[in-house]
Amino acid sequence: ESAQHQLGVLRAQILQGVISPERLVDLLQELELATKAQIQEVLRLKILNDLDLCLSLGAGTAEFIADETLTESFPLPGITGSLLLEEALQRQLIWQQIKVHVPSMNLIPSIDQKAFDAADLPKSRRDRVQSLVMSGKTLSQISVAFAQDPLEVAKIFSKLIGAGLLQLVSPSKLDPSSLMIIDDSPIVLRQFQHWVKALGYSIVTCQNAETALATILKVKPSAIFIDINMPTISGFELAKQIRQRPEIASIPLVILTGEQKLSNKWRAQWSGCEFLSKPLTAVEGVQFQGQLQSLLSRLLSGKAANAEV
């Protein structure tokens, strides 16, 4: 509990921008929350996981801009961009092989009971497999629970699936409901639909805020993403209407906006909504998909688990 409290204090300081990366590394060591080697390994894996996501989106173009101050401000020497990119490319080769059995880390593993019972497995391995298949959790969530590199977790499950002991199902198959996004921009709707489908979820789109409530009552989605600025009804007004209907009042709501104002975030919190900033650049698009993945895993994990039980 003391460690959780200390991390909470540090997290608040980071969000307020009052603590530098260098000072954060020093504090983590001073408070004995992590060693420098552990911090370096976590940061390395985080960058590699971000590169995994970026490279998985396919070929594109990029402009590299040198930043001479980066080497001075970067608190962990020994990690260079060239080495990370080389390792990321090697990881892509492994990911391509694994994707035959593990097309997405946002799928939920389940035991093929018939094949599992018929397999001649020693008890220790049988128990190990059952412990890995955590009820209702996606592979991504399992990697977090075990504090393991997603690629290493994918390797393990790829072998188990290849042996016919496990199968993967989409969260949307465990829960017949769909996600829903309400936005007056057709471009945003198409982009969001692409991101959500890439993460293994189904999505219902709605461009007209005035008809959105009727669609919500019909579909009863698992979560709803709402644009703030729409021509007829604001996102906050629509959220209010949803909360006033008992049959849909408990659906998680996420406010979307391209205006990254602190006041919007506060209003979302006061309205009992999550908050997500729309990406404005290609780089932000990659970051947004990672944030979206984390948010959906958190919002839908309990629902998927209940559906599986």
Side-chain angles (χ1 to χ4, degrees):
E1 292 184 3
S2 62
Q4 290 178 357
H5 173 72
Q6 291 170 332
L7 287 171
V9 172
L10 290 177
R11 186 178 295 110
Q13 292 177 330
I14 293 169
L15 292 174
Q16 294 168 8
V18 298
I19 184 171
S20 67
E22 303 98 314
R23 182 56 184 154
L24 176 61
V25 170
D26 291 338
L27 283 172
L28 287 171
Q29 295 175 88
E30 291 172 12
L31 297 171
E32 298 184 347
L33 295 173
T35 66
K36 189 168 186 177
Q38 289 173 327
I39 298 169
Q40 184 161 352
E41 179 61 12
V42 167
L43 183 57
R44 186 183 71 86
L45 285 177
K46 169 60 178 168
I47 296 172
L48 287 172
N49 289 331
D50 286 345
L51 287 172
D52 285 345
L53 176 60
C54 182
L55 294 173
S56 70
L57 298 177
T61 60
E63 179 182 357
F64 292 88
I65 303 173
D67 184 352
E68 295 179 357
T69 64
L70 185 61
T71 54
E72 298 175 4
S73 62
F74 201 65
L76 300 171
I79 300 180
T80 65
S82 58
L83 289 175
L84 285 169
L85 185 56
E86 182 179 345
E87 187 173 354
L89 293 173
Q90 292 298 319
R91 289 168 65 92
Q92 280 300 299
L93 297 176
I94 300 173
W95 274 118
Q96 291 303 318
Q97 297 171 349
I98 290 175
K99 281 186 176 180
V100 175
H101 299 304
V102 183
S104 170
M105 291 294 285
N106 295 289
L107 298 174
I108 298 172
S110 64
I111 293 177
D112 186 325
Q113 202 61 54
K114 186 176 180 180
F116 192 74
D117 292 340
D120 184 19
L121 294 176
K123 186 178 183 303
S124 59
R125 190 181 179 199
R126 186 178 294 272
D127 293 342
R128 174 64 173 164
V129 171
Q130 290 176 325
S131 70
L132 285 172
V133 182
M134 303 168 68
S135 178
K137 292 190 178 294
T138 65
L139 295 180
S140 179
Q141 291 170 327
I142 291 173
S143 71
V144 172
F146 282 95
Q148 294 294 319
D149 179 4
L151 181 57
E152 295 305 314
V153 172
K155 287 180 182 178
I156 294 171
F157 279 92
S158 178
K159 292 178 181 178
L160 295 171
I161 295 165
L165 302 179
L166 300 181
Q167 55 190 357
L168 296 176
V169 296
S170 167
S172 60
K173 288 184 178 179
L174 293 177
D175 186 345
S177 300
S178 299
L179 304 175
M180 185 173 178
I181 177 173
I182 304 158
D183 197 301
D184 62 308
S185 167
I187 296 175
V188 171
L189 292 178
R190 284 197 300 271
Q191 287 178 330
F192 196 86
Q193 191 172 31
H194 168 74
W195 285 320
V196 169
K197 287 186 174 180
L199 294 174
Y201 299 97
S202 59
I203 181 79
V204 172
T205 61
C206 180
Q207 194 175 344
N208 188 342
E210 291 184 323
T211 63
L213 192 61
T215 305
I216 295 168
L217 288 166
K218 180 180 178 181
V219 176
K220 290 187 173 62
S222 299
I224 304 171
F225 294 80
I226 307 173
D227 180 35
I228 287 182
N229 298 315
M230 293 184 285
T232 53
I233 302 174
S234 74
F236 290 115
E237 177 59 31
L238 182 56
K240 182 179 178 181
Q241 293 180 14
I242 294 170
R243 292 294 187 234
Q244 290 173 343
R245 301 296 295 260
E247 61 268 51
I248 56 175
S250 63
I251 297 176
L253 304 180
V254 183
I255 294 296
L256 288 171
T257 180
E259 299 177 358
Q260 299 182 16
K261 297 179 180 178
L262 194 57
S263 59
N264 285 333
K265 188 171 183 179
W266 285 342
R267 284 193 69 187
Q269 291 175 343
W270 292 335
S271 303
C273 303
E274 299 283 346
F275 181 86
L276 204 56
S277 296
K278 294 179 184 177
L280 302 178
T281 65
V283 173
E284 289 181 5
V286 176
Q287 297 172 341
F288 177 83
Q289 191 167 16
Q291 294 169 351
L292 181 63
Q293 175 182 352
S294 176
L295 179 61
L296 287 174
S297 296
R298 178 164 56 83
L299 291 179
L300 303 182
S301 58
K303 201 163 190 178
N306 291 336
E308 186 178 68
V309 173

